[in-house]
Amino acid sequence: MSWAPGDHPRDDLAVYALDALEGAERAALEAHLATCPECQEDLMVYRETLAFTVEDEEPPPDLWDRIVDVIDAHLDAEIGARQSEVDAGLDDAWLDDAGLDDAPVGDETLPPAEPLTPVPPVPPLSPVPPLPPDRRPVEDLPGADVEPPRHLRPRNPRRRLVALVAAAAAIIAVVAVGPAVVDRISGDDDTEVVSPDLPRGTIAAEDGTPVARVEADEQGSFVDLSDATPLGADRTYQLWSLDGPQPESLGLLGLGGDDDVRVTLPAGTTQVAISDEPASGSPQPTGPIVGTGSLALPS
Amino acid sequence: MLVTADRPPEHGAPTDRPTPPPAPARSPRAARMADAGPVDDATVVAALVEGDGDALAEIYARYGGAVWGVAKRVCGDRTLAEDVTQTVFVELWRRPQRYDPTRGALRPWLMAQAHARAVDTVRSEAARQRREDREARFAAQPSPDVEADVHMAAMSDGVRRAVARLASDERDAIVLAYFGGHSYREAAELLGAPEGTVKSRIRRGLSGLRRALESEGMTS
């Protein structure tokens, strides 16, 4: 559905403001909204009106801690994973030589690489997520106004972010100069290096339908989600170890699709599951378990 | 293409953190903001975009209660509401540039994000059973009026008076959709009214609600 110039879907806009419009009607309204300042203004007024109808309430006292835990985990994952990529493929001195430690945060300039073959222009990096907030009360921190947040000590937060930028740059550089790496990871190369120390297995739904496969290459374990039903943007697949007394999260796997997802499995992981969770993940499974599986070392 | 899994939180692991404060602590940066005088929301969000994670603590201190409030009202379940609130703030941290200060104030924008996620949650299959259990506490088959009354009971006096000024069919349509998380089609079915009629009632009702809130002195 579309509307003529000067014609506005006023009823649908009001329904949309209540999140009560679905499917094709919602998509059509959003398409109109993207180009109509008048309807954007009306939506703003509707939202302001609705906001007045809800009282603020005191959130649970531990909720802020949970939020910071998730953010910490995101940062640790990005740094750890990207650092391991760097360690695997690049000399650390390369980063120092590139002068990245002195780069301002958010600087998207890439270091000079030494391409093995002519390479296409390197795409810009995604914006680096900002640092997580400090949850500690100021009064509990002597000299708090100069002390970096707990989760960043003893490392300098800016150096940490710079490391993130550098690691991301390194990954892009590796991909740019080595398309064979990508081919091997995607399983198109018969010369794939087998990693006998890493377990593999299929994760299947209750009816036996394969949902995902845990695989491994010379760089470690990864999950192939090409058989999983793609999720909406507000959800994520999450991988769990079932070997302990309660499920232990092994990582957020994203929305599903053709991209394999690198994971780190604790030694001895044998029983795993995948669940459908809110986009920020969950400390314990809350969404439906979409599949379970057993992992074993290749014979 | 190979991507890397987001590392999960290590819940339950030993931690060197002190006991968290009962309310979000103002970070050192936020404290400096406060010392320098009132800082508007756009400035705080701009700090977040620039990579100042402390700005998120400030935003949570300002609007965590509003996000939690709308999430709890729509979800009707603390666990689900916690997930919604967490998602809203983690998403704000990940993509703060999604908020455009030229398109309205931060509080209603955050509440709209929370409402959209809360509605997705209550419509999901996993949440449906909990929701039905909750509704069963009020009536085996709650009428639209009963459901609207339940939601109105949670409103402040001024808002309840403003909502009560609306025509009952407009009020029921808005309350069922906004607080009940029903699509307009579901609301039409519950109300036994044509879908197009319900759409019109929602638009008239929202406009009337704005005027009623203004007359209650609640929109300034």
Side-chain angles (χ1 to χ4, degrees):
Chain A
M1 182 183 296
S2 61
W3 293 269
D7 192 11
H8 302 283
R10 299 192 189 282
D11 282 355
D12 279 9
L13 182 67
V15 177
Y16 177 81
L18 303 182
D19 293 310
L21 203 60
E22 296 181 301
E25 287 182 300
R26 180 185 182 91
L29 188 281
E30 288 179 338
H32 172 83
L33 195 59
T35 60
C36 179
E38 188 175 333
C39 284
Q40 290 168 13
E41 173 77 15
D42 287 348
L43 178 63
M44 185 177 77
V45 172
Y46 285 147
R47 284 178 169 174
E48 285 176 353
T49 301
L50 291 164
F52 283 115
T53 68
V54 179
E55 297 278 291
D56 286 19
E57 291 191 42
E58 188 67 33
D62 61 345
L63 185 51
W64 175 241
D65 247 7
R66 284 182 49 190
I67 292 168
V68 178
D69 281 344
V70 172
I71 290 173
D72 271 345
H74 276 288
L75 267 183
D76 288 344
E78 293 213 38
I79 290 175
R82 293 182 186 190
Q83 190 61 50
S84 68
E85 295 273 359
V86 171
D87 293 343
L90 292 163
D91 189 315
D92 280 343
W94 179 85
L95 298 177
D96 293 333
D97 292 344
L100 275 175
D101 272 359
D102 299 320
V105 172
D107 187 342
E108 296 179 354
T109 305
L110 291 172
E114 295 182 11
L116 303 176
T117 57
V119 296
V122 178
L125 291 173
S126 300
V128 174
L131 299 172
D134 183 8
R135 79 199 75 175
R136 287 155 61 108
V138 174
E139 56 269 28
D140 286 353
L141 294 172
D145 58 340
V146 296
E147 188 174 15
R150 172 205 61 82
H151 53 274
L152 297 175
R153 292 197 304 262
R155 302 184 63 176
N156 179 295
R158 297 220 163 230
R159 284 185 62 86
R160 181 175 177 164
L161 266 186
V162 167
L164 196 62
V165 174
I171 293 167
I172 288 174
V174 167
V175 171
V177 301
V181 173
V182 177
D183 289 344
R184 185 160 62 247
I185 290 169
S186 60
D188 298 335
D189 189 334
D190 290 340
T191 63
E192 178 174 345
V193 178
V194 174
S195 301
D197 296 338
L198 296 171
R200 296 147 189 258
T202 299
I203 297 173
E206 215 167 9
D207 64 3
T209 307
V211 174
R213 287 182 297 117
V214 176
E215 297 287 354
D217 61 16
E218 72 277 15
Q219 292 183 23
S221 300
F222 63 92
V223 179
D224 176 350
L225 279 164
S226 54
D227 290 331
T229 305
L231 298 174
D234 291 339
R235 307 294 295 179
T236 182
Y237 286 118
Q238 189 162 358
L239 182 65
W240 305 90
S241 163
L242 304 181
D243 293 324
Q246 61 182 5
E248 180 189 353
S249 177
L250 299 178
L252 308 183
L253 303 177
L255 307 177
D258 292 334
D259 290 347
D260 297 333
V261 183
R262 183 72 68 191
V263 295
T264 301
L265 302 178
T269 301
T270 57
Q271 298 296 319
V272 294
I274 291 178
S275 66
D276 171 356
E277 301 292 336
S280 57
S282 302
Q284 285 291 305
T286 62
I289 302 294
V290 298
T292 57
S294 299
L295 306 184
L297 298 176
S299 54
Chain B
M1 176 179 176
L2 187 86
V3 297
T4 301
D6 291 332
R7 194 65 195 153
E10 295 177 2
H11 291 270
T15 173
D16 59 355
R17 290 200 299 271
T19 302
R26 281 184 178 274
S27 65
R29 169 60 178 264
R32 287 199 298 274
M33 287 178 178
D35 292 344
V39 177
D40 64 40
D41 290 344
T43 301
V44 181
V45 175
L48 188 59
V49 172
E50 290 169 9
D52 182 352
D54 292 339
L56 190 68
E58 175 68 19
I59 295 168
Y60 186 86
R62 293 182 184 187
Y63 303 121
V67 169
W68 166 252
V70 73
K72 193 156 79 70
R73 284 289 302 283
V74 176
C75 293
D77 177 292
R78 292 182 68 88
T79 301
L80 296 177
E82 287 180 14
D83 288 344
V84 168
T85 305
Q86 173 183 307
T87 300
V88 168
F89 280 96
V90 172
E91 281 300 299
L92 178 64
W93 170 75
R94 293 176 71 180
R95 287 188 278 272
Q97 64 277 8
R98 285 188 61 223
Y99 169 65
D100 179 355
T102 66
R103 293 195 186 183
L106 182 57
R107 181 178 185 271
W109 184 82
L110 282 172
M111 292 175 76
Q113 307 307 305
H115 187 269
R117 282 162 178 73
V119 165
D120 286 345
T121 298
V122 299
R123 288 180 190 165
S124 73
E125 196 61 42
R128 188 159 295 151
Q129 187 57 50
R130 292 182 195 223
R131 185 168 174 236
E132 286 172 358
D133 290 345
R134 167 173 59 96
E135 291 177 345
R137 291 201 299 271
F138 298 112
Q141 289 292 326
S143 72
D145 281 343
V146 169
E147 188 168 347
D149 287 346
V150 167
H151 291 296
M152 285 182 66
M155 296 173 181
S156 70
D157 289 347
V159 173
R160 197 181 311 119
R161 282 196 301 271
V163 172
R165 290 189 188 198
L166 302 178
S168 62
D169 54 2
E170 296 170 0
R171 182 202 66 181
D172 288 348
I174 288 177
V175 171
L176 285 174
Y178 188 69
F179 294 113
H182 295 289
S183 69
Y184 82 90
R185 293 182 196 278
E186 292 171 339
E189 189 173 337
L190 286 166
L191 294 166
E195 292 176 353
T197 302
V198 168
K199 282 185 178 181
S200 300
R201 287 178 187 172
I202 286 173
R203 175 161 73 93
R204 287 199 310 273
L206 275 182
S207 299
L209 181 60
R210 178 77 180 184
R211 291 191 297 273
L213 287 168
E214 285 171 352
S215 68
E216 292 287 337
M218 299 194 64
T219 57
S220 57

